[in-house]
Amino acid sequence: MRSAGGFMEINAQYLGKETQRKIKKIFLKEKKVILFNFLDGKSYLELKPEIQKLKFRQEKEPLTHCYSRASIPSAFQEKLMSKEFVSFIQFITNTKNISWKPDALQFSWKEYTILHDNNKEKPEIDIIFDFTDDWNPKAGGAVTYVDGTGNYTKLPIQGNMLAIVQRSKNEQKFVQYVNHYGSDKNRRLLTGSF
Amino acid sequence: MLSEWLNPLYLQKKTILNNRKTFLRQKPFPYLKFKHFFHEEKADLILQEIQKEKFFLKESDLFKFKQTQDLQSSTNKILQEFRRFLSSKEFIKYLEELTGYSLKINAIDMAGTVYEDTDFLLPHDDRLEGRKIAYLYYLSDLTTQGGGQLNLFSSNHKKPTAIGKQIIPQFNTFAFFLVSQKSFHSVEEVIGQKQRYALSGWFHGN
């Protein structure tokens, strides 16, 4: 039964137990799962403008990153962590306690992140929710995982897409430079780890 | 040998002394750029020959462009001749006079690069053991709108702050800078169909 309230009302196609078992199996084997049209359509259309309303401020450290970040008010944060969403993540990742406090990030033309020894992330589970609709695939901006041996995995760019990635010890991620084909749009993500 | 390759304007003693003073006091860090540096016919030939080499896509968080292998392994006679000249005792001594830094003879890195639409190189300092002077020999003309500029960053507490200087690629321009804790630089994204060809690498220090 669907619980009321909150932003994260999951698309019914992901609510079935059998589907969730399959997703869990993929996640435990591949350490990664990508779910398109994750939220119920209405829920996504309600959440997206709320993200757009957040106050994004540019942060620029040329050696590591250039993007805009918005802090998420606590009331908003509570609505993100709906019972349904939390249960879903707990089940898929086999984790009891989820504390997902994402950042809202926005990437525009000429913005990026760079891997840097000072910014190394410890092994965790990343949850990335994408709000980028109609993105030009030539524009860059993909969240890209590297495993330290030269292997790269790019996540797709699509609105209403949820990625859950378990990062191993040597795995890091960056957001590709957004080039001029992305000059007329902003790329927004909720991204956080636990 | 220098006069066989270089524009005689750059070989005059007084010019060398003045350029050295300029180099050492440049902001945001020591650099120089010399337009029409090589004899035009040599420049034309080098461009023609580098375009025959095989370029490989290089892509990471920091960059996207195409590059040849180090030209030490090239079988192209013209490029080999150019590389030999740049690493020769005569040219190294000339560069030492210009920069005031002791450099190794026969110890340079050199590769061809081509930046095309959306290619870029994000800020970094080039520091790696042995590298003393970074150089770029431009073989294309680009405008500001076309991108491809070399951005030299000002810095504060060993971190780059803002762009302090931009060098716009111009054919037959030789630019070089001192590799140091302050030598933060980037290449602006190329926009449009104009390709940015260059030969680049490092002279190594003693």
Side-chain angles (χ1 to χ4, degrees):
Chain A
M1 190 166 126
R2 189 185 284 283
S3 57
F7 283 129
M8 303 295 262
E9 295 207 3
I10 300 174
N11 188 328
Q13 70 175 348
Y14 293 115
L15 293 176
K17 278 293 167 203
E18 190 50 38
T19 302
Q20 290 189 9
R21 266 193 287 272
K22 283 181 183 169
I23 295 170
K24 180 173 182 163
K25 197 175 170 186
I26 292 170
F27 177 76
L28 292 177
K29 185 183 173 203
E30 305 288 332
K31 307 297 179 200
K32 174 176 95 228
V33 72
I34 295 165
L35 304 170
F36 299 103
N37 297 313
F38 179 69
L39 292 182
D40 167 75
K42 191 165 168 249
S43 181
Y44 177 66
L45 289 175
E46 282 171 2
L47 178 56
K48 189 175 171 182
E50 296 301 313
I51 298 291
Q52 286 169 337
K53 279 184 211 167
L54 294 172
K55 286 199 174 92
F56 285 92
R57 286 196 174 84
Q58 196 188 46
E59 290 181 11
K60 207 169 179 175
E61 289 281 345
L63 293 180
T64 57
H65 65 273
C66 179
Y67 51 59
S68 296
R69 185 203 298 264
S71 53
I72 296 180
S74 47
F76 193 113
Q77 174 69 32
E78 275 174 35
K79 282 173 110 177
L80 281 177
M81 296 295 276
S82 67
K83 252 185 169 176
E84 188 175 82
F85 178 68
V86 171
S87 301
F88 180 87
I89 298 294
Q90 282 175 329
F91 180 74
I92 300 299
T93 62
N94 225 16
T95 314
K96 279 196 180 136
N97 296 314
I98 310 286
S99 175
W100 185 56
K101 290 189 174 150
D103 287 316
L105 298 183
Q106 177 179 285
F107 291 85
S108 308
W109 182 22
K110 301 193 186 207
E111 297 188 333
Y112 58 87
T113 69
I114 302 176
L115 298 170
H116 197 279
D117 284 341
N118 294 348
N119 273 5
K120 264 192 160 159
E121 295 179 287
K122 54 188 198 295
E124 282 179 315
I125 296 176
D126 294 335
I127 298 181
I128 298 168
F129 192 76
D130 203 328
F131 291 90
T132 317
D133 294 308
D134 305 316
W135 186 251
N136 186 334
K138 292 201 282 189
V143 176
T144 307
Y145 283 82
V146 294
D147 67 0
T149 66
N151 292 320
Y152 286 74
T153 306
K154 281 187 200 176
L155 297 185
I157 298 178
Q158 197 165 306
N160 200 7
M161 182 192 86
L162 185 80
I164 310 171
V165 180
Q166 180 157 16
R167 260 186 298 105
S168 64
K169 189 182 168 194
N170 294 320
E171 223 170 353
Q172 299 290 312
K173 67 179 184 292
F174 64 91
V175 175
Q176 272 185 325
Y177 172 84
V178 176
N179 64 49
H180 68 95
Y181 287 101
S183 62
D184 60 341
K185 272 191 176 320
N186 288 318
R187 174 152 166 54
R188 294 189 185 96
L189 307 166
L190 285 178
T191 173
S193 313
F194 62 90
Chain B
M1 195 185 184
L2 289 179
S3 58
E4 287 170 28
W5 286 87
L6 303 185
N7 182 334
L9 284 173
Y10 292 108
L11 296 177
Q12 294 167 13
K13 200 75 187 170
K14 200 174 173 187
T15 308
I16 293 171
L17 284 169
N18 285 339
N19 279 330
R20 179 172 167 150
K21 282 181 198 166
T22 305
F23 175 79
L24 292 170
R25 61 166 190 249
Q26 280 283 42
K27 301 290 178 200
F29 49 84
Y31 80 91
L32 282 173
K33 75 169 188 214
F34 293 154
K35 292 182 187 181
H36 312 294
F37 189 55
F38 294 94
H39 293 304
E40 287 288 315
E41 65 275 12
K42 298 262 193 214
D44 290 335
L45 199 51
I46 291 165
L47 173 60
Q48 182 184 288
E49 296 304 309
I50 195 63
Q51 287 174 322
K52 293 176 186 172
E53 291 289 297
K54 194 164 183 192
F55 286 78
F56 300 90
L57 176 65
K58 300 281 179 192
E59 191 173 12
S60 74
D61 55 325
L62 194 60
F63 51 72
K64 185 169 82 72
F65 55 82
K66 293 178 189 68
Q67 189 178 57
T68 66
Q69 289 184 338
D70 192 298
L71 293 175
Q72 188 174 26
S73 57
S74 169
T75 54
N76 186 298
K77 287 197 169 78
I78 303 296
L79 297 175
Q80 279 292 357
E81 199 187 340
F82 179 66
R83 191 181 174 282
R84 264 196 307 274
F85 169 69
L86 226 58
S87 58
S88 67
K89 185 179 175 183
E90 289 82 1
F91 189 80
I92 294 297
K93 292 295 168 203
Y94 172 74
L95 203 58
E96 284 180 338
E97 275 192 75
L98 278 173
T99 62
Y101 286 89
S102 176
L103 301 170
K104 287 182 181 172
I105 296 165
N106 293 327
I108 66 165
D109 304 306
M110 181 187 285
T113 58
V114 63
Y115 285 68
E116 296 172 320
D117 185 43
T118 74
D119 289 345
F120 63 91
L121 173 57
L122 294 175
H124 62 288
D125 60 18
D126 265 9
R127 283 169 70 208
L128 214 64
E129 192 165 332
R131 291 176 178 175
K132 200 72 199 169
I133 302 285
Y135 70 92
L136 301 98
Y137 178 46
Y138 291 111
L139 293 164
S140 298
D141 281 311
L142 269 78
T143 61
T144 319
Q145 291 83 0
Q149 301 95 309
L150 177 67
N151 298 317
L152 307 182
F153 283 79
S154 303
S155 59
N156 194 13
H157 299 298
K158 297 179 190 174
K159 283 187 181 181
T161 52
I163 293 170
K165 193 80 189 179
Q166 279 192 322
I167 297 175
I168 298 171
Q170 284 179 290
F171 179 74
N172 199 15
T173 294
F174 186 75
F176 55 95
F177 60 84
L178 180 69
V179 176
S180 72
Q181 285 182 331
K182 289 183 177 184
S183 57
F184 300 109
H185 60 284
S186 66
V187 175
E188 200 71 27
E189 178 191 341
V190 166
I191 297 171
Q193 300 314 303
K194 185 87 190 185
Q195 293 169 309
R196 176 199 185 271
Y197 276 97
L199 296 180
S200 59
W202 299 271
F203 296 94
H204 289 248
N206 283 312

